[in-house]
């Protein structure tokens, strides 16, 4: 009977441990002097709001030495795909322009009229067979992204859910679509106009 009781206790504990979320798989970060939630969200490419909620925070107070859990909201493969698109679409544009292009991708993911994944948004085709982004069609998406494009993607992810809600961008000098020219312009950065 004692042996059966020990087996039952061991089995119960094992099931209980298996049912717990595996915190070993979650990324963590030890806060350094001078860090802020914004800097940390940019460094890891996670939405600021997710970083705050994952760590049950409402304020901005951080203490050097404390450990934060870093939520996994966008995969490294998705970040790489975004960075390659940003690199191809916004080559020669300012850093702010690159962040804005990455933000358009995320805004589309979050908008009901577009696919709900980064990969699907980037590879989206219209009913007429046209790609939403030219670098998909011409192959420029296949070239590696530079460090600035990668940084811009992380900043756009950190900024996610804030801003003017731009869903499109275009160069007014080269745009041929009258439809895109009819969209409400939210901002102009460099050679690109952003619209919704």
């Amino acid at each position: 009977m004692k042996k059966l009781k020990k087996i039952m206790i061991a089995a119960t504990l094992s099931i209980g441990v298996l049912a717990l979320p595996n915190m070993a798989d979650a990324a963590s970060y030890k806060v350094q002097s001078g860090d802020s939630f914004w800097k940390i969200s940019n460094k890891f490419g996670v939405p600021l709001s997710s970083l705050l909620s994952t760590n049950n925070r409402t304020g901005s107070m951080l203490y050097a030495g404390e450990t934060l859990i870093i939520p996994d909201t966008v995969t490294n493969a998705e970040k790489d795909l975004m960075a390659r698109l940003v690199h191809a679409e916004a080559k020669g544009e300012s850093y702010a322009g690159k962040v804005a292009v990455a933000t358009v991708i995320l805004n589309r993911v979050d908008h009901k009229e577009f696919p709900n994944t980064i990969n699907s948004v980037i590879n989206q085709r219209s009913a007429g067979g046209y790609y939403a982004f030219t670098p998909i069609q011409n192959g420029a998406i296949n070239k590696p992204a530079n460090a600035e494009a990668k940084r811009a993607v992380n900043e756009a992810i950190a900024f996610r859910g804030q801003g003017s809600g731009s869903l499109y961008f275009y160069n007014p000098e080269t745009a041929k679509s009258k439809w895109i020219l009819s969209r409400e312009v939210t901002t102009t950065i460099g050679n690109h106009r952003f619209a919704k």
Side-chain angles (χ1 to χ4, degrees):
M1 188 67 166
K2 285 184 181 181
K3 192 173 186 178
L4 181 62
K5 190 175 183 179
K6 286 181 183 179
I7 291 171
M8 292 299 289
I9 290 172
T12 303
L13 289 173
S14 296
I15 291 170
V17 168
L18 292 174
L20 291 174
N22 188 357
M23 294 310 284
D25 290 341
S28 62
Y29 175 73
K30 190 170 186 175
V31 176
Q32 306 297 308
S33 179
D35 275 343
S36 67
F37 280 108
W38 177 249
K39 285 181 182 178
I40 296 167
S41 65
N42 264 292
K43 177 178 183 168
F44 289 98
V46 298
L48 177 60
S49 58
S50 295
L51 182 62
L52 290 168
S53 66
T54 297
N55 290 283
N56 297 316
R57 297 297 185 80
T58 55
S60 60
M61 187 65 76
L62 280 174
Y63 299 99
E66 75 175 294
T67 301
L68 297 177
I69 297 169
I70 307 299
D72 185 18
T73 58
V74 179
T75 68
N76 288 334
E78 290 170 324
K79 288 178 190 178
D80 178 63
L81 181 63
M82 285 180 65
R84 287 185 284 125
L85 182 71
V86 167
H87 181 73
E89 283 281 10
K91 191 177 266 186
E93 294 294 326
S94 68
Y95 178 74
K98 289 174 174 68
V99 172
V101 167
T103 300
V104 165
I105 297 164
L106 296 171
N107 287 346
R108 286 184 178 199
V109 169
D110 295 339
H111 195 276
K112 64 182 179 188
E113 293 178 15
F114 293 92
N116 62 1
T117 68
I118 290 168
N119 188 46
S120 297
V121 162
I122 290 175
N123 290 292
Q124 185 179 18
R125 289 177 119 177
S126 68
Y130 297 102
Y131 287 97
F133 300 102
T134 305
I136 303 300
Q137 185 158 347
N138 68 21
I141 188 84
N142 298 319
K143 294 180 180 169
N146 64 12
E148 186 174 58
K150 292 175 184 178
R151 221 172 56 246
V153 165
N154 278 350
E155 185 166 334
I157 293 168
F159 191 65
R160 190 172 190 171
Q162 303 171 44
S164 59
S166 300
L167 296 169
Y168 311 97
F169 61 90
Y170 61 94
N171 182 330
E173 298 295 318
T174 60
K176 295 178 178 137
S177 165
K178 289 185 180 185
W179 177 86
I180 195 69
L181 297 174
S182 72
R183 307 305 297 177
E184 176 189 342
V185 174
T186 55
T187 191
T188 300
I189 303 173
N191 292 319
H192 284 145
R193 281 195 188 145
F194 294 83
K196 58 182 178 180

